[in-house]
Amino acid sequence: MKPILLFILSISFSSYSQVQSLGRETSQFASWDLTREIKSTVKIKEISGSAYADENYYDGQIRLTDTVATILPVRYNVVLDELEFKKNDKVYALVPQDYTTIKIPYINKVYSYLNYNSENASKKGFLGVETTNKNINFYTKEVIVYVPYADASNAYSEPIPSHFKKGEKLYFIGLSDKSIVEMPKKNKDLLKLFPIYEKEISAFIKTNKISLNEEKELLLLVNYLDTLK
């Protein structure tokens, strides 16, 4: 297991309490043990930088079913891959179920708890939902990297304290079979996902000068892919 993953797991287990139900406080959660109170985040706070996509809380619509939504102030903890929210001056983490969706209109963001494939491994976590097409969709995942403490490299430099820093955002494509895989970085690998439309896709990429590393251009490409039948 990678050292960074071990570090993150140690934070998770040491900083959070056991799962507890909020059914008596919030009727919408009465049917699920879906929240846990955050007792301490001191270890994360001791590290410089931020573990969050945005430190601020924004009103989020937490939707656990097709018909039930609760509005609470939320923020996304990227390091622990958790949505935190406030209620009655306490901070809780949402313990997600499949298809839990959190919409944050103020920052135009939607998170959904999904199965996806990354680095040839099946994973589950929150992805940013960038499209809601019928067949082909686009997702993003924010990344924050933990950088461990480093001694001074020479007598004229200072030690570098442990800190968090933002990494490169990851991109994912949702296919018509409902699987979600990493967005290919090369055109030839993208075309393998749509073998019967190779000519059309190649022409679209060339005409629109699509880069598979640019989020706005990937969004345009995915919306086009959704039109192919």
Side-chain angles (χ1 to χ4, degrees):
M1 187 176 289
K2 296 180 180 178
I4 292 176
L5 180 56
L6 283 171
F7 169 80
I8 291 173
L9 288 175
S10 67
I11 291 177
S12 179
F13 286 116
S14 63
S15 301
Y16 289 82
S17 66
Q18 296 296 315
V19 175
Q20 62 175 10
S21 173
L22 280 185
R24 284 177 293 180
E25 295 184 39
T26 310
S27 60
Q28 287 89 338
F29 293 117
S31 300
W32 302 276
D33 285 337
L34 280 179
T35 57
R36 59 184 178 184
E37 184 180 352
I38 297 176
K39 295 297 186 183
S40 172
T41 58
V42 63
K43 289 192 175 182
I44 286 182
K45 289 180 180 179
E46 288 174 352
I47 300 170
S48 62
S50 177
Y52 298 90
D54 188 325
E55 291 273 356
N56 298 311
Y57 287 89
Y58 300 101
D59 283 346
Q61 301 168 9
I62 302 175
R63 185 173 295 278
L64 304 174
T65 70
D66 290 337
T67 58
V68 177
T70 300
I71 298 177
L72 293 167
V74 298
R75 64 180 180 178
Y76 178 45
N77 187 322
V78 179
V79 172
L80 296 180
D81 195 20
E82 292 186 335
L83 264 295
E84 299 177 359
F85 65 92
K86 278 186 175 181
K87 180 171 175 59
N88 298 331
D89 295 323
K90 292 184 178 180
V91 178
Y92 298 87
L94 181 71
V95 180
Q97 286 186 338
D98 291 348
Y99 311 114
T100 300
T101 298
I102 297 89
K103 184 177 182 180
I104 311 174
Y106 186 82
I107 56 174
N108 193 31
K109 196 71 180 178
V110 177
Y111 292 101
S112 194
Y113 190 72
L114 299 164
N115 294 295
Y116 62 94
N117 190 280
S118 179
E119 299 178 335
N120 297 315
S122 180
K123 300 182 180 181
K124 182 177 286 189
F126 284 105
L127 296 179
V129 181
E130 309 300 335
T131 61
T132 53
N133 295 326
K134 184 177 180 180
N135 296 306
I136 310 299
N137 281 292
F138 183 44
Y139 303 91
T140 59
K141 189 164 188 64
E142 290 147 298
V143 174
I144 290 179
V145 179
Y146 169 70
V147 182
Y149 170 89
D151 289 322
S153 58
N154 55 59
Y156 302 99
S157 62
E158 297 288 335
I160 301 174
S162 59
H163 61 281
F164 292 123
K165 71 173 185 178
K166 287 195 174 183
E168 291 187 12
K169 190 181 291 186
L170 301 178
Y171 302 122
F172 295 86
I173 183 169
L175 303 174
S176 57
D177 64 359
K178 305 305 179 184
S179 64
I180 300 174
V181 300
E182 284 189 78
M183 178 67 73
K185 298 184 183 300
K186 297 180 179 180
N187 291 350
K188 66 177 183 178
D189 294 328
L190 174 69
L191 296 176
K192 289 179 183 178
L193 297 176
F194 305 92
I196 64 175
Y197 296 112
E198 285 190 10
K199 291 184 178 179
E200 293 89 340
I201 296 171
S202 293
F204 183 86
I205 289 174
K206 183 177 180 180
T207 300
N208 293 277
K209 299 179 180 179
I210 298 293
S211 167
L212 299 186
N213 297 311
E214 296 294 330
E215 185 172 340
K216 289 183 179 180
E217 294 177 21
L218 286 173
L219 181 60
L220 179 66
L221 173 62
V222 168
N223 285 334
Y224 168 73
L225 294 173
D226 188 65
T227 66
L228 298 175
K229 297 180 180 179

